[in-house]
Amino acid sequence: ECNVCHGVGTVSCKDCEGKGYKPCKYCNGSGQKEDGNCSDCNGTGKDRCSKCNAQGKTKCETCNGRKQLLTFIKLKVEWTNNEDNHVVEQSSGLKADKLHSVKGKELFKISQIMVYPLYGFPNPAIAEASDRLIKEHQSKYAQTSRILQQRQTVDLIPITKVNYKWKNNIHVFYVYGNENKVNAEDYPATCCCVIL
């Protein structure tokens, strides 16, 4: 049923407010002129409404007079990749957030509808992190989303720490990842040369 006309197919005319007539524009609705009755409205003071043909109702524009609407439910589906990372045993001094932008040697990878913790992995810290991350994902996303696929990977990212002496001061820089990125936060002379 059309919600605008309530299934009638017509609505009240807006021009004449549903009356079917408007005040005569020549006599302002009085029916009189200076020389007697208004000849345009025959002394009634009313003009037929041309919009609704003096019926007081017009065809509903929402349903085009058909009294019903074709309706549908709009469903919005969002696809999101939720990702968590954990760094294990990284005691070189390089900040862990630097490692998210590089690749390493892939030690383990599995993709399934639901993945399981890596029990029995040679490094117990990785097994614990795997168990914790899977439980966190279940509690965070299973109630509000449908998990279609999960992936779990373990990467070994190479980090080389270089200690060097410059002007009797000890400094450090790091070369890390398969891409050989360099991090030298305390590099002493940034204006003059570049580490390649």
Side-chain angles (χ1 to χ4, degrees), residues 38-188:
C38 176
S39 59
D40 290 299
C41 65
N42 293 329
T44 61
K46 299 174 184 176
D47 269 344
R48 285 172 53 93
C49 178
S50 58
K51 175 104 176 178
C52 66
N53 201 21
Q55 298 296 312
K57 294 189 176 291
T58 57
K59 183 168 69 172
C60 176
E61 292 179 6
T62 303
C63 66
N64 202 23
R66 293 190 174 113
K67 304 178 185 178
Q68 292 182 329
L69 295 174
L70 181 64
T71 60
F72 63 93
I73 296 172
K74 185 177 183 180
L75 176 66
K76 183 178 179 183
V77 178
E78 291 183 6
W79 302 90
T80 307
N81 284 336
N82 298 302
E83 184 178 316
D84 282 317
N85 294 302
H86 180 76
V87 177
V88 175
E89 205 175 306
Q90 202 278 101
S91 57
S92 64
L94 180 66
K95 291 180 183 173
D97 62 336
K98 301 282 184 190
L99 300 176
H100 298 305
S101 63
V102 294
K103 301 279 185 206
K105 180 181 179 184
E106 193 174 272
L107 299 180
F108 178 83
K109 181 178 181 179
I110 187 168
S111 294
Q112 293 179 175
I113 293 171
M114 298 290 283
V115 294
Y116 297 97
L118 299 176
Y119 296 128
F121 198 82
N123 186 332
I126 290 177
E128 288 172 19
S130 169
D131 185 44
R132 181 180 52 80
L133 290 173
I134 289 171
K135 285 177 181 172
E136 284 176 8
H137 263 247
Q138 288 297 326
S139 63
K140 273 197 274 187
Y141 306 114
Q143 299 298 321
T144 57
S145 307
R146 182 176 172 206
I147 298 173
L148 299 176
Q149 185 87 355
Q150 290 183 322
R151 179 184 303 135
Q152 186 171 205
T153 59
V154 178
D155 289 342
L156 179 65
I157 300 174
I159 301 172
T160 302
K161 180 178 181 181
V162 179
N163 295 307
Y164 65 96
K165 188 174 184 180
W166 190 70
K167 291 189 177 178
N168 293 327
N169 291 321
I170 302 293
H171 299 280
V172 176
F173 72 87
Y174 301 90
V175 180
Y176 58 101
N178 290 346
E179 299 85 351
N180 292 327
K181 282 197 170 186
V182 175
N183 179 272
E185 290 183 5
D186 66 341
Y187 190 67

